Amino acid sequence: FSFLKSKLIIFLLLWNLYLIINSFFSINPFLSLQSSLFYFRFIFFSLGIAYLLEYKIKYLKFFLLVLSICFLSLILDGFYQVINQKNILGYEIVGTRITSFFKDELILGSYLSRLFPIFFGILIFFYHKNFIIIISGFIFFIFIDILTFLSGERSALFYLLISSIFIILFMKEWKYARIITLFTSLLIIFTISFVNSSFKERVVNYTFEQIFDTNQKLGFNVFSPQHQVIYETSFKIFKDNPIFGIGTKNFRYVCTNEKYQSFTDLDSSVNGCQTSSHNYYIQILTETGIVGFSFVSILIFLYLKSILKTINKKNNI
């Protein structure tokens, strides 16, 4: 209950309350409430994590062990799939993209890039003075970098780059080890791209073609033609509902309105009406309006303030 008194938790509960009220007045209340009514479960999940970190820290070692087994299994199986074109369960590569135990779901890179920083943080917390364990963690980092590249998930590569920047900025003893492993990873990735151009085709060439495809109506796309038209549709909806938005989860419903639809000139199947805006911040603006986005903006501001405070404290030591 002491955690519930936190100003941050109260702020998040107010955010949830706003989402629920907003849903009642949205274009499709029933659809919107499916998303907002029980959103508080994420707040209490965070409270559970905070409690474990504060009072049951020993459980982190079990969590670290589980993550270690998961990552080791994915690394071994992932590279086995690269060599044999299928993993140990017989799941084949999807096009040129490595999936490992996820079969036909293209989420290997996302899984690795989102969980590995947590794994690495816990590893440093418990074993920062154990040279062998920490070096093993950095070797893991190299394999994770390469496997994420082979998964073909461009956003996952971006997340790994961000986590690397944070490690280099905030670590004292091991920052140069991450710099070395990062350059090692890049060297191996460039070598793989040179030997097997299909991986480079997906991550580099295909990305460039999607962004700078002069055959599309604008000649320039934000990430891809599909993303471009989704963002155009989102902007049209936002202009009509700037203050409170259309209600959570309502993008998929509202975008069917003819006046909001957007298409590319060459392919009408590439349209802006999808299940979501495919961008967290654009979706928050579209579905909860400026009022809803202000909650998120405050959290981002507090987060950045905390980062700057940590950097200043580190520099003054």
Side-chain angles (χ1 to χ4, degrees):
F1 286 102
S2 62
F3 286 102
L4 286 172
K5 299 176 184 177
S6 164
K7 292 180 180 179
L8 178 60
I9 296 301
I10 294 172
F11 180 84
L12 291 174
L13 289 173
L14 287 174
W15 157 247
N16 191 186
L17 180 62
Y18 168 75
L19 294 180
I20 294 172
I21 295 172
N22 183 270
S23 293
F24 277 113
F25 293 96
S26 68
I27 296 173
N28 189 329
F30 178 75
L31 181 63
S32 184
L33 284 169
Q34 291 178 14
S35 168
S36 64
L37 188 59
F38 296 102
Y39 187 81
F40 63 83
R41 68 189 186 278
F42 297 109
I43 300 172
F44 285 100
F45 177 77
S46 301
L47 279 173
I49 297 297
Y51 174 79
L52 290 175
L53 290 173
E54 186 74 23
Y55 298 109
K56 305 287 184 181
I57 201 166
K58 65 179 182 179
Y59 287 114
L60 279 179
K61 287 192 174 182
F62 293 107
F63 185 54
L64 180 64
L65 176 62
V66 171
L67 283 179
S68 300
I69 294 171
C70 290
F71 285 127
L72 183 60
S73 300
L74 287 170
I75 288 171
L76 294 175
D77 185 70
F79 283 101
Y80 180 88
Q81 192 177 41
V82 172
I83 297 170
N84 298 283
Q85 299 298 298
K86 57 184 179 181
N87 81 333
I88 59 173
L89 298 179
Y91 302 153
E92 296 183 351
I93 291 177
V94 179
T96 60
R97 302 177 65 175
I98 308 304
T99 58
S100 186
F101 295 115
F102 296 109
K103 199 176 180 180
D104 55 354
E105 293 187 69
L106 305 175
I107 59 172
L108 175 61
S110 297
Y111 181 92
L112 296 173
S113 63
R114 285 170 168 81
L115 284 179
F116 191 77
I118 299 173
F119 162 83
F120 193 75
I122 300 173
L123 191 75
I124 293 294
F125 181 79
F126 283 114
Y127 302 106
H128 64 279
K129 293 184 179 180
N130 190 314
F131 179 82
I132 295 176
I133 292 179
I134 297 300
I135 292 300
S136 299
F138 277 111
I139 292 173
F140 256 44
F141 233 135
I142 294 174
F143 287 118
I144 295 296
D145 289 339
I146 298 168
L147 203 55
T148 301
F149 171 76
L150 296 177
S151 74
E153 293 181 60
R154 293 164 291 185
S155 59
L157 282 172
F158 175 75
Y159 293 140
L160 269 184
L161 178 62
I162 291 297
S163 66
S164 296
I165 291 172
F166 271 78
I167 287 171
I168 292 169
L169 281 176
F170 290 107
M171 288 186 68
K172 294 181 180 179
E173 303 173 42
W174 298 101
K175 68 167 60 178
Y176 296 108
R178 178 50 186 153
I179 294 173
I180 292 171
T181 55
L182 181 59
F183 277 106
T184 302
S185 299
L186 290 174
L187 181 61
I188 295 172
I189 286 171
F190 284 133
T191 303
I192 293 172
S193 299
F194 180 78
V195 173
N196 190 334
S197 60
S198 61
F199 293 113
K200 175 176 172 287
E201 180 70 29
R202 161 69 187 172
V203 177
V204 181
N205 297 358
Y206 184 58
T207 300
F208 185 85
E209 290 172 2
Q210 284 192 313
I211 294 175
F212 300 102
D213 188 352
T214 55
N215 291 323
Q216 298 300 327
K217 61 180 179 181
L218 294 178
F220 175 85
N221 300 299
V222 182
F223 300 123
S224 71
Q226 180 65 82
H227 285 87
Q228 179 70 34
V229 292
I230 292 173
Y231 297 161
E232 288 177 12
T233 296
S234 299
F235 182 66
K236 291 175 183 177
I237 296 172
F238 171 72
K239 284 198 301 181
D240 284 351
N241 308 272
I243 307 302
F244 300 109
I246 56 175
T248 56
K249 208 176 180 179
N250 267 335
F251 179 83
R252 67 192 69 191
Y253 176 76
V254 178
C255 69
T256 57
N257 190 315
E258 187 175 348
K259 72 174 183 176
Y260 297 132
Q261 292 178 5
S262 302
F263 303 91
T264 61
D265 283 346
L266 298 179
D267 187 357
S268 61
S269 66
V270 181
N271 67 81
C273 191
Q274 305 292 326
T275 56
S276 70
S277 298
H278 283 66
N279 180 289
Y280 294 129
Y281 303 107
I282 292 176
Q283 184 170 347
I284 291 169
L285 266 174
T286 305
E287 296 188 342
T288 68
I290 295 173
V291 175
F293 193 78
S294 65
F295 281 90
V296 179
S297 299
I298 291 170
L299 286 176
I300 292 173
F301 171 77
L302 293 174
Y303 178 61
L304 292 175
K305 183 181 177 181
S306 176
I307 291 174
L308 291 174
K309 184 178 179 181
T310 304
I311 292 175
N312 289 331
K313 183 178 178 180
K314 179 175 175 288
N315 292 334
N316 292 329
I317 293 177

